[in-house]
Amino acid sequence: MKKTILLFITALLFNSCKKESQETIPSKRVNYFDLVRPEFNGDLAYKTTAYVEQFWRVVGNTGFNNSIHKIVEELEKSGYILEENATEDNRLTYRIETRKLDSPTWEPVDASLSIDGGKTLLDFSTNRNMICQNSASTPTEGIIADVIYIKNIEELKNTNVEGKIVFAEVHPRALYQKAIIKGKALGILTYSNPDYLQPKKNKTSIQFRRIPIQDNTKHWGIALSYEAKEQLKEALNNGNVSTNVKINTKIYQSEELTVVANVKGSVYPNESLVFSAHVQEPGANDNATGVGTQLEMASITSKLITSGKIDAKRTLTFLWGDEIISTRRYVKEIDNSKTIKWGISLDMVGENTDKTGGSFLIEKMPDPSAIWTRGNDKHTEWGGKQLRKKDMTPHYLNDFIINTFKEQGKFANWEVNTNPFEGGSDHTPFLRADIPGLLLWHFTDQFYHTDNDRLDKVSQTTMANVGTSALVSAYTLINSDFGTALDLLDTSYNSAVSRLNIEYELSKKALSDGSDFKNEADILNTWTEWYIDTFDTLKDLDPTNNKTLNTSIKETKKKLENYSLTLLDKLKS
């Protein structure tokens, strides 16, 4: 009996020591770059981009739906099984979600704009953004009418435009209601290309525009290139001008299609990382490259999972749909038993920056650079508003993604930059649902949203760099554990020290330029608090709730607080 008790106690002690050892010894780290780089050559990404960019894509129209079916075709080739046909053992699945659209879809077919009896100003074959989205068709022979130029919207109050075509250098949204609805104009011609598109250089570019959805009306609008705008103004300077407008579009009831592909987690299937790439918009970089890059990411993931080279402890999801709308719905409708831990948007990820300008960017989750934007932090020409302290979302995802992409940048001699939070893409639904989320994109792009955003502006190499970095990031996160958390704690602390040093130097200069110490101290303190709160978020990487991690976080917090106080003392003196 005594011997039995002794053996039982020995076993308990052994299991206790074994459990403690498992908690405190980090698992061996996998170098995912070594696995992904040889696989990601960008071929599938580029071929998919070439297929998708040929279409003018609005949710529900032919081009959008063809793109969705192309995605599904490639997913099936890569081994993904339709959910309804899958068994419990099938980890790679996909589904197509179908919903009736509340409003009809729209697609352009053909158009031309010419001075009556004279010069053709625009033709759809070379300016496929010339028709404002939702415009109705004109009669086959076109509409011939006098053009009235107005310098500003206010002029419409005293100008009779009934039965005329109104031309103004404003956004069609500002002109439509007053010129067409109230003024009973036949249609509108508008020009509103922003300066960052370099319109005097890119004279034929037209940034796509839209007017309200047509139901029982026949309203239309034409967006002008810089060249067409100048030619029309010159003609008007020489006297009265009539134009012939021919528009052929399709407006019809349709369905919204969304593709969701899943790699089911082997250990924590209800926790996930979600990549989202929107299909709509007519460009190549925006966003055929996001569609294509994400598809190759899904294909490579299938190959690595099937071959046993990697595991996915948590679920990895790839979503293709309508920008913001599909992602927001997915986040809202996800089963309450499931948790999205991270969300990443791929939008304009394949640019040849030698042609488009700008650089690759990681748009950060809201951090203090979106309150005080200074030093190397700069908003893009897309624009961003100043945030407040209550808008901050401290999280390790920012620095983790930045460091991972910088590693690929160093390896491939590829420029990686960041910008403060601005919003406007598929990362925003994640953030609004309190899910860590950020954006992978490019800006400034001199062809952004224009009909010159075509395949010749796309770089297969860039797509491979973005896709490689994104997959390495994803594999690290979905397989994260106690050891990953410790690694990222060091990364976050080093990033915090680097940021505080930068802010210290900026504040020191600001003080010499007359700034108030209280204001500069507030900046340093806010960054310190942001990182201290960031350290706590690392706990979600460790499902075992390891005591060693909690202790390390407490110690790291204290270390950063002391470092921050040292900088404040130096700044004050």
Side-chain angles (χ1 to χ4, degrees):
M1 182 70 175
K2 288 181 180 179
K3 184 177 180 182
T4 302
I5 294 174
L6 182 62
L7 288 171
F8 177 70
I9 293 172
T10 303
L12 283 176
L13 289 172
F14 174 78
N15 287 332
S16 175
C17 292
K18 182 179 179 183
K19 182 179 179 183
E20 182 65 23
S21 174
Q22 288 174 337
E23 283 187 346
T24 56
I25 299 176
S27 59
K28 185 179 179 181
R29 305 266 64 82
V30 178
N31 189 333
Y32 292 114
F33 276 117
D34 288 346
L35 296 174
V36 176
R37 282 172 181 154
E39 299 292 341
F40 213 123
N41 56 34
D43 283 350
L44 179 57
Y46 189 82
K47 289 175 183 176
T48 305
T49 298
Y51 178 84
V52 172
E53 74 96 31
Q54 68 183 305
F55 301 113
W56 215 105
R57 307 175 303 279
V58 176
V59 63
N61 77 0
T62 303
F64 187 99
N65 292 347
N66 285 349
S67 300
I68 290 290
H69 293 305
K70 180 67 173 177
I71 293 165
V72 168
E73 176 188 330
E74 294 297 339
L75 286 173
E76 290 181 342
K77 286 181 183 177
S78 298
Y80 289 80
I81 307 296
L82 186 65
E83 273 187 10
E84 61 189 57
N85 298 329
T87 67
E88 188 63 26
D89 294 332
N90 293 130
R91 294 184 64 189
L92 306 170
T93 62
Y94 79 89
R95 66 178 181 270
I96 305 177
E97 299 178 351
T98 304
R99 298 173 178 84
K100 184 176 177 59
L101 287 170
D102 293 333
S103 302
T105 192
W106 177 90
E107 63 184 84
V109 179
D110 198 11
S112 65
L113 170 67
S114 60
I115 295 174
D116 187 33
K119 183 178 182 63
T120 297
L121 299 176
L122 293 173
D123 189 271
F124 184 75
S125 63
T126 53
N127 287 106
R128 69 178 191 168
N129 283 2
M130 65 177 287
I131 315 171
C132 291
Q133 183 181 329
N134 299 320
S135 290
S137 296
T138 63
T140 304
E141 67 275 12
I143 291 177
I144 299 174
D146 290 340
V147 175
I148 294 180
Y149 177 74
I150 62 165
K151 293 181 179 178
N152 55 66
I153 301 296
E154 293 301 311
E155 281 190 15
L156 285 171
K157 293 179 179 178
N158 303 311
T159 306
N160 180 11
V161 297
E162 185 174 355
K164 310 293 184 182
I165 297 173
V166 176
F167 166 36
E169 296 178 62
V170 296
H171 198 285
R173 202 168 40 230
L175 190 61
Y176 176 86
Q177 184 69 27
K178 293 185 178 179
I180 293 180
I181 304 302
K182 291 185 177 180
K184 297 182 179 179
L186 296 175
I188 55 177
L189 308 175
T190 68
Y191 173 81
S192 55
N193 280 358
D195 289 342
Y196 63 76
L197 295 180
Q198 304 179 48
K200 292 182 180 180
K201 171 187 171 186
N202 303 311
K203 294 181 180 181
T204 65
S205 287
I206 300 176
Q207 197 166 58
F208 73 82
R209 298 289 183 239
R210 63 173 60 92
I211 61 174
I213 294 170
Q214 306 303 301
D215 190 4
N216 297 317
T217 55
K218 290 290 184 180
H219 302 152
W220 53 266
I222 294 286
L224 301 174
S225 65
Y226 178 85
E227 182 177 70
K229 179 259 298 186
E230 289 295 299
Q231 289 173 345
L232 184 55
K233 287 179 73 174
E234 182 181 357
L236 285 166
N237 287 336
N238 294 326
N240 294 335
V241 173
S242 293
T243 57
N244 188 350
V245 179
K246 295 180 181 180
I247 297 175
N248 183 7
T249 62
K250 294 180 181 179
I251 300 175
Y252 53 95
Q253 294 299 322
S254 187
E255 296 175 321
E256 176 192 352
L257 302 180
T258 304
V259 178
V260 181
N262 286 307
V263 180
K264 185 169 69 174
S266 61
V267 182
Y268 311 106
N270 289 341
E271 298 180 359
S272 66
L273 183 152
V274 179
F275 284 112
S276 183
H278 64 88
V279 178
Q280 104 297 341
E281 292 187 332
N285 277 307
D286 193 9
N287 185 38
T289 58
V291 172
T293 301
Q294 186 167 282
L295 188 57
E296 186 161 343
M297 289 163 59
S299 177
I300 289 171
T301 300
S302 172
K303 183 176 181 179
L304 293 175
I305 288 284
T306 304
S307 66
K309 291 182 178 180
I310 67 165
D311 190 16
K313 293 181 181 178
R314 297 172 179 85
T315 295
L316 182 57
T317 298
F318 303 96
L319 173 69
W320 292 269
D322 192 13
E323 187 173 20
I324 296 179
I325 292 171
S326 293
T327 304
R328 182 173 59 208
R329 183 193 299 113
Y330 180 83
V331 169
K332 184 178 179 181
E333 293 182 355
I334 192 168
D335 189 317
N336 288 332
S337 68
K338 298 178 180 178
T339 301
I340 303 172
K341 295 177 72 70
W342 313 275
I344 298 175
S345 169
L346 285 86
D347 190 352
M348 303 168 61
V349 295
E351 304 213 359
N352 181 337
T353 55
D354 289 339
K355 294 182 178 180
T356 63
S359 74
F360 172 74
L361 293 170
I362 299 167
E363 181 166 307
K364 300 182 290 181
M365 295 171 60
D367 69 5
S369 70
I371 304 175
W372 300 282
T373 306
R374 61 183 193 167
N376 290 330
D377 281 308
K378 293 180 177 63
H379 278 294
T380 71
E381 287 83 347
W382 198 89
K385 67 177 183 179
Q386 184 178 15
L387 300 187
R388 300 156 295 180
K389 290 182 183 180
K390 69 177 185 178
D391 300 319
M392 297 297 95
T393 54
H395 202 272
Y396 60 81
L397 188 62
N398 270 5
D399 287 315
F400 166 67
I401 293 291
I402 291 167
N403 286 329
T404 304
F405 275 72
K406 292 275 189 183
E407 186 174 346
Q408 176 65 11
K410 185 176 180 180
F411 172 83
N413 192 28
W414 169 52
E415 184 178 0
V416 174
N417 290 306
T418 67
N419 68 279
F421 176 78
E422 294 175 351
S425 191
D426 282 298
H427 57 316
T428 53
F430 295 116
L431 290 168
R432 286 171 182 162
D434 294 324
I435 298 167
L438 44 71
L439 169 66
L440 311 177
W441 72 315
H442 284 79
F443 224 68
T444 297
D445 177 351
Q446 62 181 308
F447 305 109
Y448 171 67
H449 278 184
T450 77
D451 41 20
N452 279 320
D453 175 13
R454 303 309 299 270
L455 192 63
D456 63 309
K457 315 301 190 307
V458 169
S459 166
Q460 183 170 332
T461 300
T462 299
M463 287 191 285
N465 280 325
V466 173
T468 296
S469 306
L471 278 185
V472 170
S473 300
Y475 296 162
T476 303
L477 291 173
I478 63 176
N479 292 311
S480 58
D481 56 15
F482 163 57
T484 315
L486 284 181
D487 288 345
L488 295 194
L489 181 59
D490 285 341
T491 298
S492 295
Y493 176 76
N494 291 334
S495 296
V497 169
S498 176
R499 170 56 72 169
L500 291 183
N501 288 339
I502 290 169
E503 296 300 329
Y504 167 77
E505 293 297 332
L506 290 170
S507 290
K508 189 165 68 170
K509 184 178 185 307
L511 287 174
S512 67
D513 292 338
S515 180
D516 179 58
F517 174 77
K518 185 177 180 181
N519 179 67
E520 301 308 315
D522 187 30
I523 297 174
L524 279 171
N525 285 330
T526 302
W527 272 108
T528 303
E529 291 165 7
W530 192 89
Y531 269 105
I532 284 174
D533 291 340
T534 289
F535 299 154
D536 277 328
T537 66
L538 288 160
K539 294 175 183 177
D540 79 349
L541 293 172
D542 175 26
T544 65
N545 193 26
N546 193 287
K547 293 179 182 179
T548 303
L549 176 61
N550 293 332
T551 301
S552 297
I553 288 173
K554 288 179 182 178
E555 292 172 350
T556 305
K557 284 182 179 181
K558 189 64 178 176
K559 188 163 61 167
L560 187 66
E561 286 173 349
N562 291 336
Y563 189 79
S564 179
L565 287 173
T566 300
L567 291 180
L568 282 171
D569 286 342
K570 288 173 62 179
L571 195 64
K572 194 171 185 178
S573 61

